[in-house]
Amino acid sequence: MYDWNDLKFLLAIARSGSTLSAAKALGVNQTTVARRAETLEEALGIQLFERRPGGYRLTVRGQELVAMAEAVEADATHIADSAASWRRQISGTVRVTTTELVATAILAPLISQLSATHPGLTVELIAGDKRLDLQRNEVDVAIRVGSNPGEPSLIQKHLGESVWGVFASRSYVDRHGVPGSNLAGHAIIGGGGDLATLAPLNWLVEHAAGARIAMRCNSVPNLIAAVKSGAGIGPLPFMATDDTLVRCLDQEWRSDIWLLYHETQRATPHIRAFLDAFTAHFATLRGRVDGTAFAGAAPTGGVESPTKPYQTTELPRT
């Protein structure tokens, strides 16, 4: 069987008329061109060139083969162009797991953008507290909140911190006044079910002597909805806040946010597209997630001073 690569040398000689010119066109030496032409003739058992002092001249069979080789060249170029087009047209499904909070506050807007940029890309979002196993291929990408995952076989990228504070809605403040350091007489939100052990909720209950527990929530989305509705004062992640909320106390809780994926996924085009898009998207939201961009400053009578360092507590998981 002849070497398909030798057809390049056949075409170069046919187009230039000499091995010297063909060598310059191909970026190799003249001896290589002459040798590859002879190798092709030997493999096919056909004389393709008449070797003359003035250069190479195609035989009749050589002319016929050049026409066939040009068709092969066109097909090879088409394959390369198609592959390049396929690389640009990102398609496939990326399975992503994260908490409901991150899914709602960060991922949902990104997925909308990705759909417009890469119509062939589908994000299968699995939101919840269950930690799916990347090693067992249960998901492709994980966005986790908490301590260092400690999985050396995975790529672990630290994105920033998720910060929680204590908030009340402006509607609550209008009805009950500004919550200061003394919460006696105020309504607070407590935790129940899956949130029964959540550190911020337990801290608020322990430090709100004289306050009444207006309701208990068993999920972060319920907690967010309760505080925003004006039902009471409660701890919220900054990433879920907006200008309808007022920060009440000088306590905050912090936990790390990690992007995890298997090293083998790094070169997969559709997963790489998601990873790059998510990293860039998160960078634009970092100030909102860690609270540095929070616009809902406390009104007069709220926290003692906006310049006072906040009391921070590590939040293992949200």
Side-chain angles (χ1 to χ4, degrees):
M1 181 62 180
Y2 70 96
D3 188 339
W4 288 15
N5 288 317
D6 288 341
L7 295 178
K8 293 189 298 183
F9 295 88
L10 166 68
L11 292 174
I13 297 172
R15 289 164 180 169
S16 64
S18 71
T19 54
L20 179 60
S21 297
K24 292 179 180 179
L26 295 173
V28 297
N29 60 56
Q30 185 178 11
T31 302
T32 297
V33 174
R35 177 174 54 80
R36 296 295 289 268
E38 291 176 3
T39 299
L40 180 59
E41 288 179 318
E42 291 174 359
L44 296 174
I46 299 171
Q47 183 179 354
L48 303 174
F49 299 100
E50 294 179 0
R51 294 159 175 78
R52 299 181 177 183
Y56 278 47
R57 181 176 178 179
L58 288 166
T59 63
V60 173
R61 293 303 184 202
Q63 293 174 10
E64 293 175 355
L65 186 58
V66 164
M68 297 178 191
E70 288 176 337
V72 173
E73 180 184 50
D75 287 340
T77 301
H78 179 64
I79 290 173
D81 291 344
S82 296
S85 176
W86 295 335
R87 288 194 299 270
R88 291 191 297 270
Q89 296 173 5
I90 300 298
S91 64
T93 298
V94 184
R95 297 165 300 162
V96 183
T97 182
T98 189
T99 64
E100 288 191 22
L101 178 60
V102 172
T104 302
I106 299 177
L107 270 178
L110 174 62
I111 292 172
S112 177
Q113 296 173 22
L114 282 173
S115 295
T117 307
H118 303 298
L121 180 63
T122 299
V123 177
E124 181 180 325
L125 182 56
I126 307 169
D129 291 330
K130 181 180 178 181
R131 296 205 167 190
L132 300 179
D133 196 335
L134 284 86
Q135 297 283 21
R136 295 182 178 179
N137 201 34
E138 292 181 342
V139 288
D140 302 309
V141 178
I143 302 156
R144 291 179 179 162
V145 182
S147 57
N148 188 316
E151 300 179 65
S153 59
L154 300 176
I155 302 297
Q156 305 170 41
K157 184 171 184 178
H158 183 254
L159 298 173
E161 290 183 312
S162 171
V163 181
W164 287 52
V166 181
F167 297 87
S169 71
R170 293 194 181 276
S171 65
Y172 179 93
V173 170
D174 290 341
R175 297 194 313 273
H176 304 287
V178 178
S181 57
N182 182 2
L183 296 178
H186 282 282
I188 63 172
I189 309 296
D194 290 342
L195 296 191
T197 59
L198 188 67
L201 285 168
N202 290 337
W203 182 93
L204 183 61
V205 171
E206 292 170 2
H207 290 77
R212 68 181 180 88
I213 299 178
M215 64 182 298
R216 295 184 183 275
C217 297
N218 68 344
S219 72
V220 173
N222 289 342
L223 174 63
I224 296 168
V227 176
K228 288 187 174 182
S229 74
I233 301 164
L236 295 179
F238 273 100
M239 73 175 79
T241 62
D242 53 38
D243 58 7
T244 67
L245 297 171
V246 174
R247 188 168 187 185
C248 303
L249 304 175
D250 60 357
Q251 176 73 13
E252 63 183 27
W253 297 262
R254 296 176 175 271
S255 54
D256 295 314
I257 303 179
W258 300 88
L259 174 65
L260 294 89
Y261 56 95
H262 202 279
E263 187 174 8
T264 57
Q265 302 283 37
R266 194 196 296 258
T268 306
H270 65 287
I271 295 179
R272 182 78 260 170
F274 173 84
L275 293 170
D276 291 344
F278 177 80
T279 302
H281 178 66
F282 187 90
T284 67
L285 299 177
R286 186 175 288 112
R288 178 186 168 194
V289 175
D290 63 19
T292 56
F294 180 65
T300 303
V303 293
E304 295 180 17
S305 168
T307 60
K308 178 182 177 181
Y310 288 113
Q311 303 301 309
T312 62
T313 302
E314 179 69 18
L315 184 61
R317 188 176 180 187
T318 61

